[in-house]
Amino acid sequence: MYAQMVKSAGTGVKSREEMTEQERAFQDKIDADIKIEPKDWMPDDYRATLIRQIGQHAHSEIVGQLPEGNWITRAPTLERKAILLAKVQDEAGHGLYLYCAAETLGVSRDEITEMLLDGRMKYSSIFNYPTLNWADIGAVGWLVDGAAIMNQVPLQRTSFGPYSRAMIRICKEESFHQRQGYDAIRKMAEGTPEQRKMAQDAMNRLWYPSLMMFGPSDKESVHSAQSMAWKIKINTNDELRQKFVDQTVPQAEYLGLSIPDPDLKWNEERGHYDYTDPDWSEFFDVIKGNGPCNVDRLAARNKAWDDGGWVRDGLLAHARKKRTRNLAAE
Amino acid sequence: MNNEWPLWEIFIRGQHGMSHRHVGSLHAPDAEMAIKNARDVYTRRNEGVSIWVVEANNISASSPSDKGPLYEPSESKVYRHPTFFDIPDEVGAM
């Protein structure tokens, strides 16, 4: 979920009559839950959509390190610092698993990186919000990683083999992320009145941005049908958002934190909580690049890429020199 | 000249006595760095006791279209499985 509003390439879902024989055989495999592997034939639109989706997901893992990395040096205890370091390192790992999955579709690592750096590819809107204090770090682990898990668990069953395998690895590690966040914010919710206030303030600011992570409401989500037929999207945005709200409300109640939504209430008939949708105009504005941190995030990624240039070149030159020397010695 | 680090396929032995299994891939300038990176990317939680790295372009793979000719011949040879043969109960475990 870290992929929002991924545009499906192509013209939409084709009927079986409209499909070529090859496309029919491909869809039959997907319907029978047989994984598609990189060397198998696949429609160009499936490939293009997956590159966009996996790429956006990978970029989100990488950019997602920034708001949390911001607090590593200021963690309140050595233990919290070690935990946060481990979590941020995991996010780098998750980005790498996903980039490798995208690369099996024929895009190179440099190409996909450059598309992030020059703004052609997106990352999740959530990372354009700032982490202002330590309570935000707890809230990010609990809410943001919690929302990510909602989407990533079903994606373990996605039709593209390398993507599915990356998601399985990621899900194994993600639960640590959410639990460490809940543990950190619980400490504050159960702490001094000032700490409690900070925890509530973090909740107030991060609740709606977390709900936005699932993407626009189903009524406006025009690309879902094709992605769902291809099984690269398993649930609709609203289904996952509802699941997240239902799961999170009791967790907040345990902490004694209130959800910043006066209309939130249990609906006996539906068996779900009714809740207020986020402000979608804010969401589209953030996606367009006008969130509080869009400029900073991209600038930080560009700086890291530029500053690391000499390391990439130097190590490659060293490897080439060594290889030549070894050849000469043989 | 392409300045992208080559891609390496990573194989990890999970425990003593098991064979190495493919776990994923990563980019690195040479084999030594590939092993170091694999340690960080694929064994952060005690997942391995040994790492193999192979540069991806050194791997040859069968093609999906060969599936029929490669694997069908074995489908008709059910006698290769022990369950093909009826052994009388009186003979005991075999």
Side-chain angles (χ1 to χ4, degrees):
Chain A
M1 147 140 35
Y2 284 152
Q4 298 156 319
M5 303 191 60
V6 174
K7 239 190 185 155
S8 302
T11 47
V13 185
K14 286 186 189 171
S15 69
R16 287 189 73 78
E17 291 71 43
E18 292 169 309
M19 288 181 188
T20 64
E21 200 179 319
Q22 234 171 356
E23 287 170 334
R24 258 197 303 273
F26 173 81
Q27 190 62 49
D28 287 343
K29 265 170 90 174
I30 289 185
D31 293 343
D33 281 328
I34 298 172
K35 296 281 183 239
I36 309 300
E37 295 296 341
K39 289 177 100 183
D40 295 342
W41 182 87
M42 61 185 84
D44 291 344
D45 294 335
Y46 175 84
R47 185 186 300 275
T49 308
L50 264 180
I51 290 175
R52 267 181 224 155
Q53 177 171 335
I54 303 175
Q56 195 184 112
H57 196 156
H59 296 327
S60 300
E61 301 283 355
I62 298 300
V63 176
Q65 294 179 102
L66 296 169
E68 295 188 290
N70 181 31
W71 280 88
I72 290 174
T73 55
R74 290 173 287 173
T77 67
L78 184 57
E79 187 185 55
R80 292 281 174 203
K81 181 175 180 168
I83 291 169
L84 186 57
L85 261 174
K87 186 199 185 255
V88 173
Q89 191 191 18
D90 274 355
E91 305 298 0
H94 296 179
L96 294 180
Y97 307 154
L98 288 161
Y99 281 133
C100 286
E103 283 174 82
T104 65
L105 292 161
V107 65
S108 85
R109 178 71 62 89
D110 281 6
E111 273 165 14
I112 204 166
T113 303
E114 279 156 17
M115 284 194 271
L116 166 70
L117 297 179
D118 65 19
R120 268 177 295 161
M121 282 180 93
K122 303 276 181 221
Y123 52 88
S124 174
S125 58
I126 188 72
F127 301 117
N128 290 315
Y129 290 86
T131 45
L132 301 179
N133 58 51
W134 179 253
D136 288 13
I137 297 301
V140 164
W142 170 34
L143 300 173
V144 174
D145 288 86
I149 291 171
M150 279 291 150
N151 184 61
Q152 291 177 159
V153 166
L155 275 178
Q156 294 179 98
R157 292 181 280 118
T158 189
S159 58
F160 187 55
Y163 191 25
S164 155
R165 291 188 285 274
M167 289 320 309
I168 290 170
R169 286 193 76 87
I170 289 174
C171 284
K172 269 192 202 155
E173 301 177 343
E174 201 76 68
S175 164
F176 151 62
H177 296 179
Q178 191 186 14
R179 292 175 77 139
Q180 66 81 34
Y182 193 72
D183 187 65
I185 202 155
R186 183 154 82 96
K187 261 277 178 321
M188 301 197 71
E190 293 171 354
T192 64
E194 286 84 357
Q195 287 174 323
R196 220 186 142 63
K197 230 172 106 187
M198 283 173 72
Q200 182 63 56
D201 166 63
M203 175 80 178
N204 293 348
R205 281 181 290 106
L206 286 163
W207 174 253
Y208 286 107
S210 300
L211 294 190
M212 291 177 197
M213 289 175 64
F214 299 93
S217 109
D218 293 350
K219 293 176 291 250
E220 294 181 50
S221 189
V222 282
H223 306 294
S224 284
Q226 178 64 78
S227 290
M228 290 180 92
W230 281 332
K231 292 192 188 164
I232 58 180
K233 186 178 175 111
I234 313 287
N235 304 92
T236 72
N237 297 350
D238 285 335
E239 271 169 26
L240 291 171
R241 192 168 10 250
Q242 180 71 61
K243 230 174 140 187
F244 174 73
V245 171
D246 291 349
Q247 177 193 280
T248 308
V249 172
Q251 295 169 352
E253 276 168 4
Y254 179 86
L255 298 175
L257 296 180
S258 57
I259 308 260
D261 177 359
D263 295 328
L264 184 114
K265 61 170 188 307
W266 178 252
N267 183 325
E268 193 62 54
E269 211 173 296
R270 292 200 308 128
H272 292 292
Y273 283 94
D274 291 336
Y275 63 93
T276 308
D277 258 345
D279 174 359
W280 292 118
S281 61
E282 177 182 322
F283 170 77
F284 288 113
D285 211 32
V286 173
I287 289 274
K288 257 188 254 144
N290 303 321
C293 300
N294 295 58
V295 175
D296 286 354
R297 300 296 186 231
L298 264 193
R301 286 315 306 151
N302 272 287
K303 183 175 180 335
W305 179 253
D306 295 341
D307 289 355
W310 69 273
V311 179
R312 294 192 299 276
D313 293 345
L315 284 175
L316 195 62
H318 177 69
R320 282 181 179 145
K321 197 169 76 183
K322 246 186 359 186
R323 202 177 318 137
T324 323
R325 244 189 234 148
N326 288 347
L327 282 178
E330 269 167 22
Chain B
M1 188 165 30
N2 175 19
N3 265 342
E4 197 163 328
W5 288 352
L7 189 70
W8 299 77
E9 297 300 333
I10 311 302
F11 300 80
I12 291 187
R13 186 200 298 284
Q15 294 162 33
H16 290 288
M18 307 289 285
S19 47
H20 286 74
R21 261 188 67 193
H22 183 244
V23 293
S25 42
L26 52 76
H27 288 269
D30 57 23
E32 201 186 328
M33 284 301 294
I35 291 175
K36 290 199 167 105
N37 291 349
R39 198 274 315 250
D40 289 342
V41 179
Y42 292 107
T43 67
R44 288 194 302 281
R45 286 176 178 76
N46 251 334
E47 288 99 332
V49 294
S50 164
I51 299 173
W52 286 352
V53 300
V54 183
E55 209 178 317
N57 61 21
N58 286 329
I59 292 186
S60 311
S62 63
S63 108
S65 57
D66 287 344
K67 217 164 130 194
L70 278 180
Y71 309 113
E72 257 158 33
S74 75
E75 277 174 20
S76 57
K77 297 174 181 59
V78 284
Y79 46 82
R80 286 186 170 170
H81 297 280
T83 46
F84 179 75
F85 305 94
D86 276 334
I87 303 293
D89 289 347
E90 294 84 347
V91 176
M94 184 179 285

